[in-house]
Amino acid sequence: MKNIILFGPPAAGKGTQAKILQDTLKIPQLSTGDMLRAEVTAGSDLGKKAKNIMDSGGLVSDEIIIGMIENRLKKPDCNNGALFDGFPRTKAQAEALDSMLAKIGRKIDLVIDMQVNDDELIARSAKRFSEDTAAGRPTRKDDNPEVFPGRLKVYREQTLPVLAYYKNTAPEKVRNVDGMKNIDEVTKQIKSSIN
Ligand code: AMP
């Protein structure tokens, strides 16, 4: 049983690492960003509520996000744990996660803090934006170079307190990973901090 949080700023590589790790660890990636984008594509009421907020780089309400995770955790593929990607993003979400896990006799085992500097994050998001454009794929409006710096600000103001929360309540669970390295190197670092 492993419940692992991949923590870090937008475009740090959390999704990339979660996709690699879910196969080796046999626990699913729970990406709230992917779940929300699926709702937007499906045109659901939730998707309609979330779309403008997401496009502008803001955070969707804690209530919506917590409800989504609560439902997802009930699915049998989460019986051995989960890799949380892009969640929790506020202190209220972190507290809600702790209490929903406690109710089912579980807890967070590890918080992987992926450290990447702002220049690299801006370069990575711009690359994702231009590659999507070049390939004719729909671009993520929130990767637009005009929107992305705002997401870094939201991260610093609303999401960094999540790291402080875990450092205060469970410092032994927090591991630093140098997210500036290439994909394979980062995977290796994460795997060695899990074992
Ligand atoms: P991501 O794919 O994780 O970068 O998420 C894309 C966007 O979805 C974010 O910029 C937010 O607008 C929204 N979002 C994803 N996860 C959360 C969350 N845990 N709390 C609030 N909003 C979220």
Side-chain angles (χ1 to χ4, degrees):
M1 161 71 72
K2 283 264 182 273
N3 289 286
I4 300 170
I5 294 172
L6 288 177
F7 183 86
K14 301 185 296 293
T16 301
Q17 293 299 328
K19 285 190 175 64
I20 297 170
L21 292 165
Q22 65 175 355
D23 295 330
T24 37
L25 300 176
K26 309 266 185 286
I27 52 175
Q29 170 197 22
L30 266 52
S31 159
T32 42
D34 286 351
M35 291 177 202
L36 289 167
R37 281 184 288 276
E39 296 284 346
V40 171
T41 304
S44 70
D45 286 346
L46 195 159
K48 283 178 193 144
K49 268 191 212 158
K51 187 179 185 311
N52 289 343
I53 302 171
M54 293 171 74
D55 285 353
S56 66
L59 293 186
V60 174
S61 78
D62 287 337
E63 197 191 343
I64 288 182
I65 298 291
I66 292 164
M68 249 173 30
I69 286 285
E70 213 155 18
N71 286 336
R72 184 65 185 83
L73 272 178
K74 286 183 188 142
K75 304 233 165 97
D77 64 332
C78 295
N79 284 350
N80 292 324
L83 269 170
F84 297 96
D85 159 15
F87 171 87
R89 246 175 166 102
T90 63
K91 188 168 171 248
Q93 291 178 17
E95 288 168 346
L97 177 62
D98 274 355
S99 59
M100 79 177 87
L101 289 176
K103 270 191 221 149
I104 51 174
R106 299 191 199 173
K107 58 176 172 36
I108 288 299
D109 299 292
L110 277 179
V111 180
I112 309 281
D113 176 22
M114 296 176 61
Q115 300 178 333
V116 180
N117 71 34
D118 283 6
D119 286 348
E120 178 69 13
L121 296 169
I122 288 167
R124 287 184 189 178
S125 66
K127 187 165 170 258
R128 185 158 65 186
F129 190 75
S130 59
E131 281 174 356
D132 285 346
T133 309
R137 285 191 293 264
T139 52
R140 278 182 58 170
K141 289 204 171 52
D142 57 350
D143 276 339
N144 187 310
E146 280 165 20
V147 175
F148 190 78
R151 291 172 68 198
L152 292 180
K153 187 164 179 276
V154 168
Y155 170 75
R156 275 192 294 274
E157 290 173 359
Q158 301 191 54
T159 304
L160 263 183
V162 170
L163 187 61
Y165 170 78
Y166 290 111
K167 282 185 173 166
N168 286 332
T169 57
E172 73 287 356
K173 292 180 184 168
V174 181
R175 303 278 186 286
N176 296 336
V177 161
D178 180 1
M180 299 288 287
K181 297 264 166 39
N182 68 36
I183 293 174
D184 285 353
E185 281 291 322
V186 176
T187 308
K188 272 188 207 145
Q189 288 180 62
I190 296 176
K191 280 186 181 164
S192 66
S193 58
I194 290 171
N195 296 322

